[in-house]
PDB file of all heavy atoms in Angstrom:
ATOM      1  N   ALA A   1      16.307  13.017  -2.754  1.00 98.00           N
ATOM      2  CA  ALA A   1      15.549  12.320  -1.708  1.00 98.00           C
ATOM      3  C   ALA A   1      14.116  12.027  -2.161  1.00 98.00           C
ATOM      4  O   ALA A   1      13.588  10.934  -1.907  1.00 98.00           O
ATOM      5  CB  ALA A   1      15.555  13.146  -0.425  1.00 98.00           C
ATOM      6  N   ALA A   2      13.481  12.989  -2.821  1.00 98.00           N
ATOM      7  CA  ALA A   2      12.113  12.783  -3.311  1.00 98.00           C
ATOM      8  C   ALA A   2      12.073  11.627  -4.309  1.00 98.00           C
ATOM      9  O   ALA A   2      11.165  10.780  -4.256  1.00 98.00           O
ATOM     10  CB  ALA A   2      11.582  14.068  -3.947  1.00 98.00           C
ATOM     11  N   ASN A   3      13.044  11.572  -5.204  1.00 98.00           N
ATOM     12  CA  ASN A   3      13.100  10.467  -6.165  1.00 98.00           C
ATOM     13  C   ASN A   3      13.300   9.143  -5.442  1.00 98.00           C
ATOM     14  O   ASN A   3      12.672   8.131  -5.786  1.00 98.00           O
ATOM     15  CB  ASN A   3      14.223  10.696  -7.173  1.00 98.00           C
ATOM     16  CG  ASN A   3      13.939  11.818  -8.137  1.00 98.00           C
ATOM     17  OD1 ASN A   3      12.858  12.400  -8.155  1.00 98.00           O
ATOM     18  ND2 ASN A   3      14.935  12.159  -8.945  1.00 98.00           N
ATOM     19  N   GLY A   4      14.159   9.142  -4.438  1.00 98.00           N
ATOM     20  CA  GLY A   4      14.401   7.917  -3.675  1.00 98.00           C
ATOM     21  C   GLY A   4      13.164   7.442  -2.932  1.00 98.00           C
ATOM     22  O   GLY A   4      12.858   6.241  -2.908  1.00 98.00           O
ATOM     23  N   ARG A   5      12.434   8.379  -2.327  1.00 98.00           N
ATOM     24  CA  ARG A   5      11.196   8.018  -1.629  1.00 98.00           C
ATOM     25  C   ARG A   5      10.153   7.474  -2.602  1.00 98.00           C
ATOM     26  O   ARG A   5       9.454   6.495  -2.300  1.00 98.00           O
ATOM     27  CB  ARG A   5      10.635   9.216  -0.870  1.00 98.00           C
ATOM     28  CG  ARG A   5      11.350   9.516   0.437  1.00 98.00           C
ATOM     29  CD  ARG A   5      10.619  10.543   1.272  1.00 98.00           C
ATOM     30  NE  ARG A   5      10.336  11.783   0.548  1.00 98.00           N
ATOM     31  CZ  ARG A   5      11.183  12.800   0.423  1.00 98.00           C
ATOM     32  NH1 ARG A   5      12.390  12.731   0.958  1.00 98.00           N
ATOM     33  NH2 ARG A   5      10.832  13.881  -0.256  1.00 98.00           N
ATOM     34  N   THR A   6      10.063   8.088  -3.766  1.00 98.00           N
ATOM     35  CA  THR A   6       9.111   7.621  -4.774  1.00 98.00           C
ATOM     36  C   THR A   6       9.399   6.181  -5.163  1.00 98.00           C
ATOM     37  O   THR A   6       8.494   5.337  -5.203  1.00 98.00           O
ATOM     38  CB  THR A   6       9.145   8.526  -6.028  1.00 98.00           C
ATOM     39  OG1 THR A   6       8.720   9.836  -5.644  1.00 98.00           O
ATOM     40  CG2 THR A   6       8.261   7.991  -7.137  1.00 98.00           C
ATOM     41  N   ASN A   7      10.661   5.878  -5.439  1.00 98.00           N
ATOM     42  CA  ASN A   7      10.992   4.510  -5.837  1.00 98.00           C
ATOM     43  C   ASN A   7      10.851   3.534  -4.678  1.00 98.00           C
ATOM     44  O   ASN A   7      10.441   2.387  -4.880  1.00 98.00           O
ATOM     45  CB  ASN A   7      12.378   4.448  -6.476  1.00 98.00           C
ATOM     46  CG  ASN A   7      12.307   4.707  -7.961  1.00 98.00           C
ATOM     47  OD1 ASN A   7      11.238   4.605  -8.572  1.00 98.00           O
ATOM     48  ND2 ASN A   7      13.434   5.047  -8.558  1.00 98.00           N
ATOM     49  N   GLN A   8      11.147   3.973  -3.460  1.00 97.00           N
ATOM     50  CA  GLN A   8      10.946   3.095  -2.297  1.00 97.00           C
ATOM     51  C   GLN A   8       9.461   2.758  -2.144  1.00 97.00           C
ATOM     52  O   GLN A   8       9.102   1.609  -1.910  1.00 97.00           O
ATOM     53  CB  GLN A   8      11.480   3.755  -1.024  1.00 97.00           C
ATOM     54  CG  GLN A   8      11.356   2.870   0.206  1.00 97.00           C
ATOM     55  CD  GLN A   8      12.184   1.605   0.100  1.00 97.00           C
ATOM     56  OE1 GLN A   8      13.280   1.599  -0.450  1.00 97.00           O
ATOM     57  NE2 GLN A   8      11.649   0.501   0.605  1.00 97.00           N
ATOM     58  N   ASP A   9       8.608   3.757  -2.308  1.00 97.00           N
ATOM     59  CA  ASP A   9       7.157   3.526  -2.234  1.00 97.00           C
ATOM     60  C   ASP A   9       6.709   2.542  -3.317  1.00 97.00           C
ATOM     61  O   ASP A   9       5.873   1.669  -3.080  1.00 97.00           O
ATOM     62  CB  ASP A   9       6.385   4.835  -2.378  1.00 97.00           C
ATOM     63  CG  ASP A   9       6.542   5.753  -1.176  1.00 97.00           C
ATOM     64  OD1 ASP A   9       7.023   5.292  -0.109  1.00 97.00           O
ATOM     65  OD2 ASP A   9       6.207   6.952  -1.309  1.00 97.00           O
ATOM     66  N   ARG A  10       7.274   2.684  -4.512  1.00 97.00           N
ATOM     67  CA  ARG A  10       6.899   1.799  -5.620  1.00 97.00           C
ATOM     68  C   ARG A  10       7.359   0.363  -5.343  1.00 97.00           C
ATOM     69  O   ARG A  10       6.640  -0.595  -5.625  1.00 97.00           O
ATOM     70  CB  ARG A  10       7.444   2.323  -6.942  1.00 97.00           C
ATOM     71  CG  ARG A  10       6.759   3.644  -7.358  1.00 97.00           C
ATOM     72  CD  ARG A  10       7.247   4.140  -8.703  1.00 97.00           C
ATOM     73  NE  ARG A  10       6.864   3.256  -9.788  1.00 97.00           N
ATOM     74  CZ  ARG A  10       5.662   3.229 -10.362  1.00 97.00           C
ATOM     75  NH1 ARG A  10       4.708   4.035  -9.955  1.00 97.00           N
ATOM     76  NH2 ARG A  10       5.425   2.395 -11.368  1.00 97.00           N
ATOM     77  N   ILE A  11       8.543   0.215  -4.785  1.00 97.00           N
ATOM     78  CA  ILE A  11       9.045  -1.120  -4.436  1.00 97.00           C
ATOM     79  C   ILE A  11       8.128  -1.759  -3.395  1.00 97.00           C
ATOM     80  O   ILE A  11       7.735  -2.928  -3.532  1.00 97.00           O
ATOM     81  CB  ILE A  11      10.499  -1.030  -3.917  1.00 97.00           C
ATOM     82  CG1 ILE A  11      11.448  -0.689  -5.075  1.00 97.00           C
ATOM     83  CG2 ILE A  11      10.914  -2.338  -3.243  1.00 97.00           C
ATOM     84  CD1 ILE A  11      12.842  -0.297  -4.631  1.00 97.00           C
ATOM     85  N   GLU A  12       7.763  -0.995  -2.366  1.00 97.00           N
ATOM     86  CA  GLU A  12       6.895  -1.519  -1.315  1.00 97.00           C
ATOM     87  C   GLU A  12       5.514  -1.875  -1.847  1.00 97.00           C
ATOM     88  O   GLU A  12       4.863  -2.783  -1.318  1.00 97.00           O
ATOM     89  CB  GLU A  12       6.800  -0.509  -0.176  1.00 97.00           C
ATOM     90  CG  GLU A  12       8.099  -0.384   0.598  1.00 97.00           C
ATOM     91  CD  GLU A  12       8.103   0.751   1.601  1.00 97.00           C
ATOM     92  OE1 GLU A  12       7.081   1.449   1.755  1.00 97.00           O
ATOM     93  OE2 GLU A  12       9.163   0.949   2.237  1.00 97.00           O
ATOM     94  N   ALA A  13       5.072  -1.197  -2.894  1.00 98.00           N
ATOM     95  CA  ALA A  13       3.767  -1.484  -3.505  1.00 98.00           C
ATOM     96  C   ALA A  13       3.858  -2.600  -4.552  1.00 98.00           C
ATOM     97  O   ALA A  13       2.848  -2.955  -5.169  1.00 98.00           O
ATOM     98  CB  ALA A  13       3.200  -0.214  -4.145  1.00 98.00           C
ATOM     99  N   GLY A  14       5.062  -3.142  -4.765  1.00 98.00           N
ATOM    100  CA  GLY A  14       5.239  -4.200  -5.749  1.00 98.00           C
ATOM    101  C   GLY A  14       5.242  -3.705  -7.180  1.00 98.00           C
ATOM    102  O   GLY A  14       4.993  -4.469  -8.103  1.00 98.00           O
ATOM    103  N   GLU A  15       5.526  -2.425  -7.366  1.00 98.00           N
ATOM    104  CA  GLU A  15       5.542  -1.825  -8.703  1.00 98.00           C
ATOM    105  C   GLU A  15       6.978  -1.628  -9.185  1.00 98.00           C
ATOM    106  O   GLU A  15       7.926  -1.605  -8.397  1.00 98.00           O
ATOM    107  CB  GLU A  15       4.825  -0.471  -8.663  1.00 98.00           C
ATOM    108  CG  GLU A  15       3.377  -0.568  -8.232  1.00 98.00           C
ATOM    109  CD  GLU A  15       2.740   0.790  -7.989  1.00 98.00           C
ATOM    110  OE1 GLU A  15       3.472   1.800  -7.911  1.00 98.00           O
ATOM    111  OE2 GLU A  15       1.507   0.835  -7.859  1.00 98.00           O
ATOM    112  N   ASP A  16       7.120  -1.456 -10.498  1.00 97.00           N
ATOM    113  CA  ASP A  16       8.436  -1.158 -11.065  1.00 97.00           C
ATOM    114  C   ASP A  16       8.876   0.237 -10.644  1.00 97.00           C
ATOM    115  O   ASP A  16       8.047   1.142 -10.478  1.00 97.00           O
ATOM    116  CB  ASP A  16       8.382  -1.214 -12.600  1.00 97.00           C
ATOM    117  CG  ASP A  16       8.203  -2.624 -13.116  1.00 97.00           C
ATOM    118  OD1 ASP A  16       8.530  -3.581 -12.393  1.00 97.00           O
ATOM    119  OD2 ASP A  16       7.711  -2.767 -14.258  1.00 97.00           O
ATOM    120  N   THR A  17      10.172   0.401 -10.508  1.00 96.00           N
ATOM    121  CA  THR A  17      10.704   1.715 -10.147  1.00 96.00           C
ATOM    122  C   THR A  17      10.770   2.603 -11.386  1.00 96.00           C
ATOM    123  O   THR A  17      10.772   2.118 -12.520  1.00 96.00           O
ATOM    124  CB  THR A  17      12.108   1.597  -9.535  1.00 96.00           C
ATOM    125  OG1 THR A  17      12.967   0.928 -10.459  1.00 96.00           O
ATOM    126  CG2 THR A  17      12.068   0.840  -8.214  1.00 96.00           C
ATOM    127  N   PHE A  18      10.824   3.907 -11.150  1.00 97.00           N
ATOM    128  CA  PHE A  18      10.980   4.876 -12.233  1.00 97.00           C
ATOM    129  C   PHE A  18      12.440   4.958 -12.647  1.00 97.00           C
ATOM    130  O   PHE A  18      13.341   4.840 -11.815  1.00 97.00           O
ATOM    131  CB  PHE A  18      10.520   6.272 -11.803  1.00 97.00           C
ATOM    132  CG  PHE A  18       9.037   6.432 -11.715  1.00 97.00           C
ATOM    133  CD1 PHE A  18       8.450   6.818 -10.520  1.00 97.00           C
ATOM    134  CD2 PHE A  18       8.219   6.219 -12.810  1.00 97.00           C
ATOM    135  CE1 PHE A  18       7.085   6.984 -10.428  1.00 97.00           C
ATOM    136  CE2 PHE A  18       6.846   6.378 -12.728  1.00 97.00           C
ATOM    137  CZ  PHE A  18       6.285   6.759 -11.528  1.00 97.00           C
ATOM    138  N   ASP A  19      12.671   5.187 -13.903  1.00 98.00           N
ATOM    139  CA  ASP A  19      13.996   5.442 -14.457  1.00 98.00           C
ATOM    140  C   ASP A  19      14.121   6.966 -14.538  1.00 98.00           C
ATOM    141  O   ASP A  19      13.844   7.574 -15.564  1.00 98.00           O
ATOM    142  CB  ASP A  19      14.106   4.793 -15.836  1.00 98.00           C
ATOM    143  CG  ASP A  19      15.480   4.942 -16.473  1.00 98.00           C
ATOM    144  OD1 ASP A  19      16.428   5.377 -15.787  1.00 98.00           O
ATOM    145  OD2 ASP A  19      15.593   4.618 -17.669  1.00 98.00           O
ATOM    146  N   PHE A  20      14.491   7.580 -13.427  1.00 98.00           N
ATOM    147  CA  PHE A  20      14.545   9.040 -13.354  1.00 98.00           C
ATOM    148  C   PHE A  20      15.664   9.622 -14.209  1.00 98.00           C
ATOM    149  O   PHE A  20      16.672   8.966 -14.470  1.00 98.00           O
ATOM    150  CB  PHE A  20      14.784   9.498 -11.904  1.00 98.00           C
ATOM    151  CG  PHE A  20      13.600   9.336 -11.011  1.00 98.00           C
ATOM    152  CD1 PHE A  20      13.595   8.370 -10.016  1.00 98.00           C
ATOM    153  CD2 PHE A  20      12.490  10.151 -11.151  1.00 98.00           C
ATOM    154  CE1 PHE A  20      12.509   8.228  -9.170  1.00 98.00           C
ATOM    155  CE2 PHE A  20      11.389  10.016 -10.319  1.00 98.00           C
ATOM    156  CZ  PHE A  20      11.405   9.045  -9.328  1.00 98.00           C
ATOM    157  N   GLU A  21      15.480  10.863 -14.601  1.00 98.00           N
ATOM    158  CA  GLU A  21      16.579  11.627 -15.199  1.00 98.00           C
ATOM    159  C   GLU A  21      17.597  11.928 -14.108  1.00 98.00           C
ATOM    160  O   GLU A  21      17.227  12.102 -12.942  1.00 98.00           O
ATOM    161  CB  GLU A  21      16.065  12.949 -15.774  1.00 98.00           C
ATOM    162  CG  GLU A  21      15.228  12.807 -16.997  1.00 98.00           C
ATOM    163  CD  GLU A  21      14.880  14.147 -17.623  1.00 98.00           C
ATOM    164  OE1 GLU A  21      15.018  15.202 -16.955  1.00 98.00           O
ATOM    165  OE2 GLU A  21      14.468  14.144 -18.793  1.00 98.00           O
ATOM    166  N   PRO A  22      18.871  12.021 -14.460  1.00 98.00           N
ATOM    167  CA  PRO A  22      19.858  12.445 -13.465  1.00 98.00           C
ATOM    168  C   PRO A  22      19.514  13.840 -12.949  1.00 98.00           C
ATOM    169  O   PRO A  22      19.094  14.707 -13.710  1.00 98.00           O
ATOM    170  CB  PRO A  22      21.167  12.462 -14.243  1.00 98.00           C
ATOM    171  CG  PRO A  22      20.940  11.617 -15.443  1.00 98.00           C
ATOM    172  CD  PRO A  22      19.483  11.735 -15.758  1.00 98.00           C
ATOM    173  N   VAL A  23      19.699  14.029 -11.660  1.00 98.00           N
ATOM    174  CA  VAL A  23      19.436  15.314 -11.018  1.00 98.00           C
ATOM    175  C   VAL A  23      20.689  16.179 -11.034  1.00 98.00           C
ATOM    176  O   VAL A  23      20.613  17.397 -11.151  1.00 98.00           O
ATOM    177  CB  VAL A  23      18.955  15.091  -9.566  1.00 98.00           C
ATOM    178  CG1 VAL A  23      18.820  16.399  -8.806  1.00 98.00           C
ATOM    179  CG2 VAL A  23      17.647  14.318  -9.560  1.00 98.00           C
ATOM    180  N   VAL A  24      21.844  15.536 -10.951  1.00 98.00           N
ATOM    181  CA  VAL A  24      23.096  16.275 -10.830  1.00 98.00           C
ATOM    182  C   VAL A  24      24.236  15.507 -11.492  1.00 98.00           C
ATOM    183  O   VAL A  24      24.231  14.277 -11.524  1.00 98.00           O
ATOM    184  CB  VAL A  24      23.421  16.548  -9.333  1.00 98.00           C
ATOM    185  CG1 VAL A  24      23.666  15.264  -8.565  1.00 98.00           C
ATOM    186  CG2 VAL A  24      24.578  17.514  -9.161  1.00 98.00           C
TER     187      VAL A  24
END
């Protein structure tokens, strides 16, 4: 969820999303 919120915030700010490591 934290990773999802981070990328949602980045999308809303017009920034590229992070390419996160798999969590599970």
